Amino acid sequence: MNYIWYFLIIISLIFGSLNGTLEEVTKALFSGCELAIKIAINLLGIMTFWLGIMKIAEKSGIVEFLSKCLKPVAKIIFPEIPKGSPIIGDIAMNFSANALGLANAATPIGIKAIEGMQEINKDKESASNSMCMLLAMNTAGFQLIPATVIAILAAKGCNNPTEIIVPTLIVTSTAFIAAIILARICSFIFPPQKIKEEINAN
């Protein structure tokens, strides 16, 4: 990512010099830096508030309660995982934390779930269908409360930043359901073992 930013800056300076707009490029560079600092400062208080709310939800047991409610659904989505496996609980916790915007808590739980899936994975060199499903679910980014977006809108002076909640819920829900359906379809069309055999054949 650093190389990409370096490349963009150098290209901007080169084209600014060629077009005689180097002064405008320099002004835009410094004004962008100033704006970034202002937004970061404004975000600090708002994000602190939301993260505090999310931490209360975690400590009060709301996340754990949601994970228990989601366990039956997780068993259906991940049929490869043995019944009664603690991996189901990790998956439910991961989803609950993501839905509430607890990304810091969701990441280690998701890694723990993947590690558990790897232990029961018959082919250690290929990702199992369950791993791909969990990755698809996390990539879809389902959120009940888009705390980061709300914070950015508030920092930019939006009169009603929370109005993004309903559209975000609709979009992320659609993406989440589509990710699950496509991951399930692909698990039948492109099973890991079949892909590995094709790669070895070539």
Side-chain angles (χ1 to χ4, degrees):
M1 182 61 72
N2 289 334
Y3 292 114
I4 294 175
W5 285 114
Y6 289 144
F7 175 76
L8 291 174
I9 293 172
I10 292 172
I11 289 295
S12 299
L13 293 174
I14 292 173
F15 277 92
S17 300
L18 294 175
N19 296 328
T21 58
L22 187 58
E23 184 178 352
E24 286 75 6
V25 173
T26 305
K27 287 181 180 179
L29 178 64
F30 285 106
S31 64
C33 293
E34 182 181 357
L35 179 61
I37 295 298
K38 287 181 179 179
I39 293 177
I41 293 174
N42 289 331
L43 282 174
L44 184 62
I46 300 168
M47 287 301 296
T48 300
F49 169 76
W50 278 109
L51 289 174
I53 294 295
M54 299 308 171
K55 199 66 178 178
I56 291 173
E58 183 183 9
K59 293 293 185 180
S60 63
I62 294 177
V63 176
E64 186 176 356
F65 172 76
L66 286 175
S67 69
K68 289 180 180 179
C69 295
L70 291 169
K71 275 187 179 182
V73 180
K75 290 178 182 177
I76 297 173
I77 299 176
F78 298 89
E80 297 176 348
I81 299 176
K83 186 177 180 180
S85 173
I87 301 174
I88 295 294
D90 293 333
I91 293 170
M93 285 286 287
N94 172 258
F95 172 76
S96 301
N98 274 322
L100 293 175
L102 294 168
N104 291 335
T107 300
I109 298 172
I111 293 174
K112 184 180 177 183
I114 291 292
E115 289 175 346
M117 292 177 189
Q118 180 64 8
E119 290 180 2
I120 63 174
N121 187 11
K122 295 180 180 180
D123 186 0
K124 302 299 182 182
E125 297 181 0
S126 301
S128 65
N129 290 329
S130 297
M131 291 179 181
C132 294
M133 177 64 78
L134 184 61
L135 178 62
M137 290 171 58
N138 278 272
T139 303
F142 174 79
Q143 280 195 335
L144 290 172
I145 303 175
T148 303
V149 178
I150 292 173
I152 292 173
L153 290 174
K156 293 295 291 183
C158 180
N159 294 327
N160 186 17
T162 56
E163 66 183 0
I164 196 66
I165 291 178
V166 174
T168 301
L169 182 59
I170 295 172
V171 172
T172 57
S173 298
T174 303
F176 185 74
I177 294 171
I180 293 175
I181 294 173
L182 289 174
R184 179 56 62 199
I185 292 173
C186 289
S187 68
F188 291 109
I189 300 176
F190 308 107
Q193 187 61 35
K194 182 179 178 181
I195 295 175
K196 185 178 180 181
E197 289 174 357
E198 290 179 355
I199 294 174
N200 292 333
N202 295 328

